[in-house]
Amino acid sequence: ASEQLLDVVNETLEISRMEAGHVQLAEAECSLSELVLQARMDMVDLADRADVTLACDIEPLAHDRVLVDAVRLSHVLTQLVDNAIKYNKENGQVNVLVSETQEQVVLTVEDTGIGIPAEEVDRIFERFYRVDKSHSRAVGGTGLGLSIVKHGAAYHKAKIEVNSTVGQGTAISVIFPKS
């Protein structure tokens, strides 16, 4: 219980610092593909314990190297994968996809989980908001993960798109401009 309380405090402080503009990005050029593969390695044990398959589908990118804060972007990616695993079904699947268009690099985490009702999609990035309160208690967490994702994406001038169907799963994309 004290460890979870500490997580809540630390994550709340991080969000507050971001909102106040007191966070300096340590931007450097790094490989988005490498960040995704590292996140998969970091999360595969959690996926295995949850009976969820974790896969990566990385398109060969013309612009794989992006200017980002690798630590913050890794945190965004880990939060998305963590949620996709926790809110999945037994024998479910999580896919992390990296693709690009002419103007954008797109990072998508999609799952075969419980999904999000359409009327609640706009609220999932609010602090402490939970779609399924009973399931949330069972899987733990602070309720701040998607708020951190929202702020981390904003710091990278990325936008977020959510596509979800109740009972079928959710896909959350973080879309980075190439310029």
Side-chain angles (χ1 to χ4, degrees), residues 11 32 34-47 49 54 56 69-87 94-96 107-111 141 144-150 152-153 156 172 174 176:
E11 289 180 1
L32 193 54
E34 287 176 17
L35 287 175
V36 167
L37 293 173
Q38 183 61 50
R40 185 192 182 285
M41 286 176 36
D42 293 345
M43 301 299 287
V44 73
D45 287 342
L46 178 66
R49 287 192 303 274
L54 178 55
C56 295
D69 182 322
V71 172
R72 282 208 162 63
L73 185 55
S74 292
H75 200 124
V76 164
L77 181 56
T78 301
Q79 290 288 340
L80 289 174
V81 172
D82 185 64
N83 275 7
I85 292 168
K86 286 180 178 175
Y87 294 94
V94 173
N95 291 314
V96 182
L107 172 64
T108 302
V109 177
E110 61 183 22
D111 65 58
L144 293 168
L146 289 180
S147 186
I148 289 171
V149 167
K150 177 183 84 171
H156 287 96
I172 298 180
V174 182
F176 300 90

Side-chain angles (χ1 to χ4, degrees), residues 50-172:
D51 247 348
V52 171
T53 302
L54 178 55
C56 295
D57 183 5
I58 302 171
E59 279 185 12
L61 303 176
H63 293 88
D64 183 47
R65 300 200 69 77
V66 289
L67 188 63
V68 294
D69 182 322
V71 172
R72 282 208 162 63
L73 185 55
S74 292
H75 200 124
V76 164
L77 181 56
T78 301
Q79 290 288 340
L80 289 174
V81 172
D82 185 64
N83 275 7
I85 292 168
K86 286 180 178 175
Y87 294 94
N88 217 310
K89 301 172 183 169
E90 190 173 337
N91 297 314
Q93 181 142 1
V94 173
N95 291 314
V96 182
L97 311 154
V98 179
S99 60
E100 70 180 331
T101 67
Q102 206 165 2
E103 293 89 25
Q104 303 165 324
V105 177
V106 182
L107 172 64
T108 302
V109 177
E110 61 183 22
D111 65 58
T112 57
I114 62 175
I116 304 164
E119 65 273 11
E120 298 196 45
V121 167
D122 289 340
R123 298 199 59 205
I124 63 173
F125 296 98
E126 295 174 12
R127 292 183 198 187
F128 306 112
Y129 187 76
R130 307 266 188 151
V131 173
D132 180 347
K133 279 81 173 154
S134 62
H135 190 80
S136 295
R137 278 190 285 278
V139 299
T142 63
L144 293 168
L146 289 180
S147 186
I148 289 171
V149 167
K150 177 183 84 171
H151 286 87
Y155 258 82
H156 287 96
K157 296 178 178 50
K159 64 180 184 172
I160 299 175
E161 289 182 0
V162 179
N163 293 303
S164 188
T165 304
V166 173
Q168 294 182 18
T170 301
I172 298 180

